[in-house]
Amino acid sequence: MPGGIKTEVRTYQLFINGEWVESQSRRSFAVFDPSTEDKIAEVSDANAEDVKHAVAAAKLAFDEGPWGHTTAQERGRVLFRLAEKIRQNGSMLAELEARNSGKPIVEAEFDLADVATCFEYYGGLATKVLGYVNPVPDNAVSLTLKEPVGVVGQIIPWNYPLLMAAWKLAPALAAGCTCILKPAEQTPITVLEMANWFSEVGLPPGVVNILTGFGESCGAPLVGHPDVNKIAFTGSLAVGKTIVKQAADTVKRVTLELGGKSPNIFFADADFEAAIDGALFGVFINQGEVCSAGSRILVEKSIYKKFVDAMAAKAGKIKLGAPLDRDTKMGPLVSKEQYERVRAYQEIGKQEAKLASGGGRAEGFAKGHYVEPTIFYDVDNNARIAREEIFGPVATVISFADEREALRVANDSPYGLAAAVWTRDIFKAFRVVKSLRAGIVWVNHMQPTYVEAPWGGYKQSGFGRELGPWGIEEYLETKQVHINLNEQPIGWY
């Protein structure tokens, strides 16, 4: 398989049972650089037969293969070795990630550092899975054991390709599960490159299998397969709902992270300059293609006009450019489909609110899926641009009169992934934190994410948690063991 950065089109097969294999369909699909619209890879197109092959390999590795008998210490060492390979190849992976996803290279480098950290964290946590001795009234010992769920299917999005793979694979492997990972069809390259090192770091065949393909032909058979014990999905609300329905037929465990429409709340007593930076960073980082993007910007009326003007002035200075240019702050959107989606919302916004900045395709680019960082203001919270997840660099600014109204507007959403509050008043900050219906709440900051802390949402942003000890719990079953210490017969007859 290919190793370094090359200008020619790269070719990838499926990774099943420790081998690169051609898809049963013999079909493939193209992967593009969104900044140039050039084809950069040709990838095998997996179907239901490939899913069966991968699940059988994962089940064998779990039930009969060495992975099912590998100690927690050795699983941890495998993850440490994988983290080291990622660090050693970080520059190559970051460049591939930037070229494939469109994100700026500087952001891709941060992502790759987090990928290695995630594998290291769960490498250490593998030996920290604890059972429990239950105090029962009988003459007996009652134990609680934690055991791996089994075969897991993992479906990840295109906005943070290798990082989302790490969030799924690292806790599952630490727990002792085997995996079938389906990367997004738009951004599979770095995940496939990582598979080149699985054997070297000590992963036996079948423990991690990678299927590239589309939702209906690959994702759906994976969700419906009776030998898959759990599905972990990050992606859109619509697809998440479909997965829950499909998984019900085999009553498999599911965890979902389904995005959001996160409120970023600014009170008049906040540090103004820090607040402006936090508002822009919260919605425009990674081209706004972030599930926790602070796309609903709520501003207290006394600073509202000044705030909008300052945001618009700074947004106009954001440098758009090629992903590999180290001065680029915003790259292209990931695909033509996403570009057209965001452009449609820009036009919808012009009918629903006032435009402070942007609102169209970015100028100066002959090719590429570039759009301007866009700010709408005087937005009604019932407007489509205020309620629907756009997943692009489009901000909606909404005014509020007081704390009570800010909370009412912030919580008036079907989503509940993240939120932020900016104020110097610690009492106000904690009141708001306690009242916000969101799984992650930041105070005087926006978007910091740590592998040690839980990630997941309320309401239609999904259920289950990733990262930290909560992440590995999602891949563990709980077993009660009762040991009778009474030598006398039970005596019921």
Side-chain angles (χ1 to χ4, degrees), residues 48 59 76 99 229 255 266 280 316 325 336 346-347 358 401 477:
K59 189 174 189 302
R99 292 178 67 215
N229 305 110
T255 53
F266 298 90
L280 295 171
D325 183 344
K336 181 180 180 182
Q346 286 176 321
E347 296 307 311
E477 294 280 16

Side-chain angles (χ1 to χ4, degrees), residues 200-223:
E200 180 182 344
V201 301
L203 277 173
V207 176
V208 178
N209 307 273
I210 299 176
L211 300 179
T212 49
F214 296 84
E216 291 184 1
S217 54
C218 179
L222 181 60
V223 173

Side-chain angles (χ1 to χ4, degrees), residues 137-326:
D138 292 330
N139 187 19
V141 174
S142 179
L143 305 176
T144 298
L145 305 182
K146 292 289 188 177
E147 298 180 343
V149 167
V151 176
V152 299
Q154 301 170 314
I155 303 172
I156 60 174
W158 42 256
N159 57 334
Y160 289 91
L162 202 54
L163 186 60
M164 292 295 98
W167 283 22
K168 299 286 190 291
L169 290 175
L173 295 175
C177 297
T178 57
C179 306
I180 300 98
L181 180 72
K182 182 198 162 317
E185 60 269 21
Q186 298 89 344
T187 56
I189 295 178
T190 49
V191 173
L192 291 165
E193 285 289 338
M194 181 175 63
N196 286 316
W197 308 316
F198 287 166
S199 177
E200 180 182 344
V201 301
L203 277 173
V207 176
V208 178
N209 307 273
I210 299 176
L211 300 179
T212 49
F214 296 84
E216 291 184 1
S217 54
C218 179
L222 181 60
V223 173
H225 198 293
D227 289 333
V228 173
N229 305 110
K230 171 188 164 65
I231 292 291
F233 172 75
T234 298
S236 72
L237 174 59
V239 175
K241 290 179 178 179
T242 299
I243 285 174
V244 171
K245 294 174 183 176
Q246 291 175 334
D249 289 337
T250 49
V251 198
K252 57 172 54 74
R253 290 173 60 170
V254 178
T255 53
L256 302 173
E257 198 264 80
L258 304 178
K261 194 71 178 177
S262 301
N264 201 358
I265 307 169
F266 298 90
F267 288 96
D269 63 352
D271 181 312
F272 189 81
E273 290 303 319
I276 296 299
D277 285 347
L280 295 171
F281 182 83
V283 68
F284 295 141
I285 186 173
N286 203 54
Q287 300 75 247
E289 296 168 323
V290 183
C291 54
S292 57
S295 54
R296 285 194 300 150
I297 299 171
L298 280 55
V299 183
E300 195 164 5
K301 284 184 178 179
S302 60
I303 61 167
Y304 180 75
K305 185 180 186 305
K306 179 183 177 184
F307 200 97
V308 172
D309 291 344
M311 276 190 67
K314 284 197 170 185
K317 299 177 182 178
I318 294 173
K319 178 176 170 52
L320 278 69
L324 298 184
D325 183 344
R326 301 196 70 83

Side-chain angles (χ1 to χ4, degrees), residues 288-447:
E289 296 168 323
V290 183
C291 54
S292 57
S295 54
R296 285 194 300 150
I297 299 171
L298 280 55
V299 183
E300 195 164 5
K301 284 184 178 179
S302 60
I303 61 167
Y304 180 75
K305 185 180 186 305
K306 179 183 177 184
F307 200 97
V308 172
D309 291 344
M311 276 190 67
K314 284 197 170 185
K317 299 177 182 178
I318 294 173
K319 178 176 170 52
L320 278 69
L324 298 184
D325 183 344
R326 301 196 70 83
D327 293 326
T328 293
K329 295 297 183 184
M330 264 183 54
L333 299 177
V334 71
S335 64
K336 181 180 180 182
E337 179 185 17
Q338 189 63 16
Y339 169 82
E340 291 175 348
R341 173 183 172 86
V342 173
R343 285 288 293 116
Y345 273 108
Q346 286 176 321
E347 296 307 311
I348 291 169
K350 292 173 186 177
Q351 305 301 314
E352 293 184 326
K354 298 175 183 177
L355 184 64
S357 179
R361 174 177 170 82
E363 297 180 355
F365 299 95
K367 289 185 177 181
H369 308 308
Y370 290 92
V371 298
E372 296 175 309
T374 299
I375 301 171
F376 291 106
Y377 69 105
D378 288 1
V379 180
D380 187 286
N381 197 46
N382 292 313
R384 286 186 63 187
I385 58 170
R387 301 197 71 79
E388 299 174 13
E389 187 177 34
I390 299 172
F391 224 68
V394 179
T396 59
V397 189
I398 303 169
S399 67
F400 65 86
D402 52 27
E403 183 180 328
R404 182 176 179 180
E405 185 180 11
L407 285 167
R408 178 184 61 78
V409 174
N411 287 330
D412 183 17
S413 169
Y415 294 103
L417 179 58
V421 54
W422 299 71
T423 177
R424 288 189 177 96
D425 184 337
I426 190 66
F427 301 103
K428 183 190 298 181
F430 269 91
R431 287 196 304 269
V432 173
V433 165
K434 287 175 66 66
S435 298
L436 285 168
R437 299 287 295 165
I440 306 107
V441 181
W442 296 292
V443 178
N444 296 328
H445 211 323
M446 187 69 189
Q447 302 296 5

Side-chain angles (χ1 to χ4, degrees), residues 13-47:
Q13 295 177 311
L14 308 177
F15 188 78
I16 300 176
N17 202 30
E19 298 180 333
W20 297 101
V21 298
E22 190 173 2
S23 64
Q24 293 294 315
S25 69
R26 303 292 191 270
R27 291 196 298 266
S28 62
F29 59 91
V31 177
F32 297 92
D33 178 336
S35 67
T36 64
E37 302 178 51
D38 293 335
K39 177 179 169 180
I40 58 175
E42 191 77 21
V43 177
S44 288
D45 186 4
N47 62 15

